[in-house]
Amino acid sequence: MIETTGRRAGRHIAGARDPDDELLCALYREHADALLRFVARLVGGDRQRAEDIVQETLLRAWRNADRFDHNAVGSLRPWLFTVARRIAIDEYRSASARAGETYGQDLDEVWLAELSQSDETERVLSSLVVMDALRSLSRAHREIIVETYLRDRTVNEVAELLGLPLGTAKSRVYYALRALRAALDAQANTEPAAE
């Protein structure tokens, strides 16, 4: 349990005067609770997984402490949330990639079940094509599409987040989608024909 482990670590480290240990305790005290709440939502309430991800996140922050501007207020927490989110995604992908256990099943049944599952290749290829098209857009267009479509925010939320007037944000979404459509069309016209 993260709370118990943290208290034990805090007591153990409290006697030590190692600045690295003090930094780790400070990171834990300042960010662990918020990270745990955030990560618990990401992993569907699985507390053990959430605690493991929080520990790994704080360990990475500790390892990269020399990269942070300690005078900048609020610069660390967004980085921690991003790292925690990426760790959760990596764990999910890793678990999804592993083959399921098939104890007590006939191998022919397993093979037929594997064939009946949908092939993810088409979805992955489509995602790669869209990502390439997004990369070809201007920074402003890419940013507005990522915020509205990939991060599922409303235009009002994105306007506020980016500090744009609402009308500007709406027109930017419109023109960004047009630019994305043109980029996708250009990619489709340059791809070799299927044999």
Side-chain angles (χ1 to χ4, degrees):
M1 291 192 262
I2 200 162
E3 292 153 359
T4 314
T5 306
R7 283 191 208 115
R8 253 187 264 132
R11 278 196 305 265
H12 171 71
I13 294 172
R17 293 288 180 225
D18 186 2
D20 286 341
D21 291 343
E22 289 175 13
L23 173 63
L24 188 57
C25 282
L27 285 170
Y28 179 84
R29 276 191 309 272
E30 199 169 324
H31 302 288
D33 290 336
L35 275 171
L36 186 60
R37 286 190 300 273
F38 172 73
V39 174
R41 287 191 306 260
L42 291 177
V43 296
D46 183 342
R47 186 161 176 95
Q48 184 63 46
R49 280 187 56 212
E51 289 173 355
D52 290 345
I53 291 170
V54 168
Q55 285 179 346
E56 177 63 26
T57 302
L58 292 174
L59 184 61
R60 288 184 188 184
W62 175 72
R63 286 180 186 152
N64 294 292
D66 58 326
R67 294 184 181 179
F68 296 108
D69 179 7
H70 298 288
N71 298 324
V73 178
S75 65
L76 182 60
R77 189 164 284 187
W79 182 85
L80 289 170
F81 277 64
T82 301
V83 169
R85 188 176 136 275
R86 288 179 180 163
I87 292 171
I89 289 169
D90 289 347
E91 283 188 4
Y92 174 78
R93 287 179 180 161
S94 175
S96 299
R98 284 188 289 246
E101 296 177 0
T102 56
Y103 298 116
Q105 289 184 338
D106 184 18
L107 288 180
D108 288 334
E109 290 175 24
V110 172
W111 183 75
L112 288 174
E114 291 284 329
L115 279 179
S116 68
Q117 292 179 354
S118 65
D119 185 13
E120 290 289 312
T121 306
E122 188 63 34
R123 186 187 63 77
V124 169
L125 288 175
S126 296
S127 295
L128 290 173
V129 168
V130 171
M131 293 307 292
D132 280 344
L134 275 172
R135 283 188 196 100
S136 72
L137 300 181
S138 70
R139 182 179 166 273
H141 284 168
R142 185 173 48 250
E143 184 177 52
I144 201 87
I145 287 177
V146 166
E147 293 299 329
T148 53
Y149 287 93
L150 299 180
R151 294 194 175 137
D152 200 27
R153 292 187 169 123
T154 66
V155 176
N156 290 346
E157 291 171 336
V158 174
E160 186 177 324
L161 177 74
L162 298 178
L164 298 172
L166 182 58
T168 301
K170 287 180 179 181
S171 66
R172 195 171 286 176
V173 168
Y174 173 77
Y175 287 110
L177 287 173
R178 283 183 59 179
L180 181 61
R181 190 174 301 119
L184 289 170
D185 288 343
Q187 281 184 350
N189 292 333
T190 60
E191 290 179 3
E195 295 178 14

